[in-house]
Amino acid sequence: MKNIIDSELAKLIFKDIGKYKFTLGFLLLNVIFAITVVHWAQLNRQMVIQQDVLLQQRDDIDLRWRHLLLEQRSLAEHSRVESIARNRLGMKRPTTDEEVVVTLP
C-alpha cells in the first residue's frame, strides 16, 4: 500500500514538474543570476578596497618625495655649503691678489 502511494506521489511530482517546467527553469535562472550578481558585487568591492589601498600608498610616497625635496633644498642652500666649506674644510674666499685667471690658447 505504501509503495503504491509513494509511486503515485512520485508520478504526481514529476507531472507537476513537467507542467511547470518553464516556471522552474525561470526560477533556476533567477537564482543563478542572483548568485552571479552577488559574486560580481563582491569582486567590485574588493577592487575598490584595493584601489583605496593603492591611492593611500601613492599619497604616502608623494608625501615622502616632497619631504625629500625639502631636505635636498635645505642641504644645498648656499649659506650652508659656504659654512661647511669654511668650518670643516678650512676654505676661504680668495682675495684679488690670490686669484689666478687661466686663459685657453
Side-chain angles (χ1 to χ4, degrees):
M1 180 90 161
K2 188 176 181 183
N3 288 340
I4 294 172
I5 294 174
D6 288 342
S7 68
E8 287 181 21
L9 182 63
K11 287 179 186 178
L12 283 174
I13 290 173
F14 286 122
K15 186 178 180 182
D16 280 345
I17 289 175
K19 188 176 180 181
Y20 298 108
K21 62 184 170 188
F22 289 117
T23 305
L24 289 174
F26 288 136
L27 177 67
L28 182 63
L29 278 173
N30 198 5
V31 169
I32 290 171
F33 286 143
I35 291 172
T36 304
V37 166
V38 169
H39 174 72
W40 284 105
Q42 178 64 22
L43 287 177
N44 189 28
R45 284 187 202 108
Q46 288 175 348
M47 284 190 256
V48 167
I49 290 170
Q50 184 180 9
Q51 181 185 20
D52 288 343
V53 167
L54 291 173
L55 288 173
Q56 181 64 39
Q57 287 177 354
R58 183 197 67 183
D59 291 343
D60 291 342
I61 290 171
D62 187 48
L63 184 65
R64 283 192 286 162
W65 173 252
R66 289 179 187 185
H67 285 229
L68 286 172
L69 285 176
L70 287 173
E71 185 178 348
Q72 181 185 20
R73 287 180 185 152
S74 69
L75 291 175
E77 204 170 288
H78 180 72
S79 60
R80 182 179 180 278
V81 173
E82 188 175 353
S83 170
I84 290 174
R86 279 194 186 135
N87 298 334
R88 289 189 192 168
L89 302 175
M91 297 175 86
K92 63 177 183 150
R93 222 174 244 288
T95 62
T96 54
D97 296 335
E98 297 173 332
E99 283 184 17
V100 176
V101 178
V102 178
T103 56
L104 293 174

